[in-house]
Amino acid sequence: MTGNHQTLALLLFSAFVAVTLGITTWVSRHRHGSAEEFYAGGRLFSPMENGFAIAGDYMSAASFLGISGLIALFGYDGMLYSVGFLVAWLVVLFLVAELVRNCGRFTLADVVAARMSERPVRIAAGTSSVTVSVLYLVAQMVGAGSLVALLLGGTSEAAQSWTVIGVGALMVIYVSLGGMRATTWIQIVKAVLLLGGTVALTALVLVRFHGDFDQLLLTAAERSGHGRSFLAPGLKYGGDWTARLDFISLGLALVLGTAGLPHILSRFYTVPTARAARRSVVWSIGLIGGFYLMTIVLGFGAAAIVGPEAVRGSNAAGNTAVPLLALDLGGGADSTGGTVLFAIVAAVAFATILAVVAGITLASSASVAHDLYASLRRGRARRRSEVAVARTAAVGIGVVAIALGLLARDLNVAFLVGLAFAVAASANLPVLLYSLFWRGFTTRGAVWSVYGGLVPALALVLLSPVVSGSPESLFPGLDFQYFPLQNPGLVSIPLGFVAGWLGTITSAEVADEARHAETEVRSLTGAGAV
């Protein structure tokens, strides 16, 4: 990239950082220091504001950079991510949004602990939430590293490393100073910027092909080198049965994982009522649906205009397809239009990464303080120091995410998010659904359900081609690959449900009918909700 690209993109990015740090500073001066203020922003956001914030949380670097890159490289098979992420919101809307808002207070563990022995359930759910959040954070860090490498005109490992460290430092500042209120406003600003940039790029792609989407697809297929098979299933997940099972496993993880993501569930607590939570999801579905439809146009546009070989040459995982597309649409590398459009897209992508990591870090630090720390300390002393623990936890989580982000920098960000979704669907969703809908569910069932999904999911990832046994692995020189699928969801999600059922039927504990009845009434009516 030329010096103009670098300078303009860095100026725009610096402007976003300055604005968001200003928001954070302003909020930190007006905070009250209470747990409700830090975790839930005082529950003062309207459905529309929260809908934009949810969309901002959900439309991550994986969506903007990773999905478009996968479509550019693999055509039809790359669209699975767009479809899966979008369909997942129907599960959230119909099964969890309103019920979680009524039953919980700040975290996933609140919903489960409402009718169980609190300490073991909070420890299990807190551990799971932190694990999912860290996996999701790694994807955002990898996206940041890929973007800065392109921006600086090379693949400098030092540049990528410093970018990951810088993003990690900023996210710790956002969370520790501003809490949920600052994070929410950062998400809203980012969602508006991202949707605006995506609409502009989509319009330019369609104008290039005179509004003829068929011509766009045919050109993409021709440039791909695969012909019409680029537009048919099977390019990435076809062929042998292993690839087909991986396709099913990924689909399950994407559709079921959203309802178990801690940073998405925590968003339902920032509005005053369950009805507002439901309306927030309706707003977010409209915004997210439009966005994912546009990523399909951008992905095929990158294949047709830039070409898969150029995309792969810039970044083997395809993470730089959209910036390269913007450069071409603006008039090329040496044009003013190309420089401006590339800089805008790069700045929006940076903004996307920063905003999402802030939301995830807040959710995971809340789990550490409100669930894990709260299980070890009791009483008013614990309440007074809980927010301080959350701020300290944000620093520790940031360090872990930076380290893993440096390790996984050559993997596709959408693929990494698929792993996080698989763990969320395996460990968090079963215990959430059982707690809400199964009258006889017990504490042992809850604990077994979490660990019965979490441990197999992590173990299967470690034993999969993602970590070793292939040139694209994290450790290509080692081979301890015993599980053939890249995504563990097909095996680990059922195991989470089975473990919860088995733990309940083998438990000597008798389910508390009164507490279940209270939870059921609260979840359905909102009576007694915080």
Side-chain angles (χ1 to χ4, degrees), residues 351-372:
T352 297
I353 290 164
L354 278 177
V356 172
V357 297
I360 302 166
T361 306
L362 179 61
S364 51
S365 62
S367 291
V368 170
H370 186 62
D371 298 329
L372 300 179

Side-chain angles (χ1 to χ4, degrees), residues 34-51:
S34 67
E36 186 169 292
E37 172 76 21
F38 185 78
Y39 296 140
R43 310 191 201 281
L44 298 174
F45 292 98
S46 70
M48 185 181 77
E49 290 169 345
N50 199 43

Side-chain angles (χ1 to χ4, degrees), residues 232-326:
L235 198 59
K236 180 174 175 62
Y237 296 107
D240 59 9
W241 276 103
T242 301
R244 295 178 187 181
L245 290 173
D246 230 339
F247 183 86
I248 297 170
S249 186
L250 178 62
L252 274 175
L254 294 181
V255 171
L256 299 178
T258 301
L261 290 175
H263 67 291
I264 297 297
L265 293 175
S266 66
R267 283 253 147 251
F268 301 135
Y269 301 126
T270 62
V271 289
T273 64
R275 183 169 181 266
R278 188 171 65 250
R279 289 173 60 201
S280 297
V281 177
V282 173
W283 268 100
S284 63
I285 285 177
L287 298 169
I288 291 166
F291 173 77
Y292 282 118
L293 289 175
M294 290 187 285
T295 61
I296 295 173
V297 176
L298 296 184
F300 283 113
I305 295 170
V306 180
E309 288 308 312
V311 171
R312 196 175 278 110
S314 171
N315 180 271
N319 293 330
T320 54
V322 173
L324 290 174
L325 174 63

Side-chain angles (χ1 to χ4, degrees), residues 349-425:
F350 269 127
T352 297
I353 290 164
L354 278 177
V356 172
V357 297
I360 302 166
T361 306
L362 179 61
S364 51
S365 62
S367 291
V368 170
H370 186 62
D371 298 329
L372 300 179
Y373 176 74
S375 300
L376 302 175
R377 300 284 295 275
R378 301 181 186 280
R380 296 173 64 185
R382 178 203 56 150
R383 286 287 168 213
R384 284 200 300 270
S385 59
E386 202 176 281
V387 173
V389 172
R391 293 195 174 104
T392 305
V395 178
I397 290 161
V399 170
V400 172
I402 288 168
L404 292 176
L406 295 174
L407 183 65
R409 60 179 156 224
D410 294 325
L411 295 180
N412 181 278
V413 287
F415 167 74
L416 285 169
V417 164
L419 294 182
F421 272 60
V423 178

Side-chain angles (χ1 to χ4, degrees), residues 7 10 17 31 93 111 117 205 228 271 276-277 367 372-373 375 383 389 393 395 410 475 483 501 516:
T7 304
L10 289 172
V17 171
R31 72 186 183 209
L93 177 61
V111 180
S117 295
V205 170
R228 291 297 183 99
V271 289
S367 291
L372 300 179
Y373 176 74
S375 300
R383 286 287 168 213
V389 172
V395 178
D410 294 325
F475 304 106
F483 181 67
W501 170 79
H516 174 266

Side-chain angles (χ1 to χ4, degrees), residues 14-322:
S14 300
F16 177 81
V17 171
V19 169
T20 52
L21 285 175
I23 292 171
T24 304
T25 304
W26 180 79
V27 169
S28 68
R29 288 177 179 172
H30 293 79
R31 72 186 183 209
H32 305 299
S34 67
E36 186 169 292
E37 172 76 21
F38 185 78
Y39 296 140
R43 310 191 201 281
L44 298 174
F45 292 98
S46 70
M48 185 181 77
E49 290 169 345
N50 199 43
F52 269 89
I54 290 172
D57 241 338
Y58 199 63
M59 297 182 303
S60 65
S63 305
F64 190 52
L65 301 176
I67 293 176
S68 301
L70 285 173
I71 294 173
L73 297 181
F74 301 107
Y76 182 97
D77 280 10
M79 287 200 310
L80 172 67
Y81 284 88
S82 289
V83 175
F85 283 146
L86 181 53
V87 171
W89 272 106
L90 299 178
V91 179
V92 176
L93 177 61
F94 291 116
L95 286 182
V96 301
E98 189 173 353
L99 305 182
V100 164
R101 173 61 188 85
N102 283 337
C103 288
R105 188 159 178 251
F106 300 130
T107 64
L108 165 72
D110 289 337
V111 180
V112 184
R115 47 178 294 218
M116 309 288 174
S117 295
E118 195 166 341
R119 187 171 184 176
V121 167
R122 284 196 179 277
I123 290 172
T127 302
S128 171
S129 295
V130 172
T131 304
V132 172
S133 297
V134 168
L135 283 173
Y136 209 107
L137 279 172
V138 170
Q140 312 310 314
M141 299 296 192
V142 171
S146 299
L147 196 62
V148 82
L150 178 65
L151 182 64
L152 299 178
T155 54
S156 164
E157 289 192 2
Q160 290 188 49
S161 300
W162 280 111
T163 303
V164 169
I165 292 168
V167 169
L170 280 171
M171 79 184 186
V172 170
I173 293 170
Y174 290 147
V175 172
S176 58
L177 289 182
M180 178 59 86
R181 190 172 296 184
T183 301
T184 300
W185 281 112
I186 291 169
Q187 298 290 9
I188 293 169
V189 172
K190 163 263 174 116
V192 172
L193 289 174
L194 181 58
L195 287 167
T198 308
V199 167
L201 283 181
T202 302
L204 288 172
V205 170
L206 293 175
V207 166
R208 177 74 67 94
F209 290 92
H210 310 290
D212 189 342
F213 191 65
D214 285 348
Q215 187 59 42
L216 167 62
L217 294 179
L218 291 173
T219 307
E222 184 181 335
R223 288 206 65 178
S224 71
H226 299 285
R228 291 297 183 99
S229 62
F230 188 71
L231 306 177
L235 198 59
K236 180 174 175 62
Y237 296 107
D240 59 9
W241 276 103
T242 301
R244 295 178 187 181
L245 290 173
D246 230 339
F247 183 86
I248 297 170
S249 186
L250 178 62
L252 274 175
L254 294 181
V255 171
L256 299 178
T258 301
L261 290 175
H263 67 291
I264 297 297
L265 293 175
S266 66
R267 283 253 147 251
F268 301 135
Y269 301 126
T270 62
V271 289
T273 64
R275 183 169 181 266
R278 188 171 65 250
R279 289 173 60 201
S280 297
V281 177
V282 173
W283 268 100
S284 63
I285 285 177
L287 298 169
I288 291 166
F291 173 77
Y292 282 118
L293 289 175
M294 290 187 285
T295 61
I296 295 173
V297 176
L298 296 184
F300 283 113
I305 295 170
V306 180
E309 288 308 312
V311 171
R312 196 175 278 110
S314 171
N315 180 271
N319 293 330
T320 54
V322 173

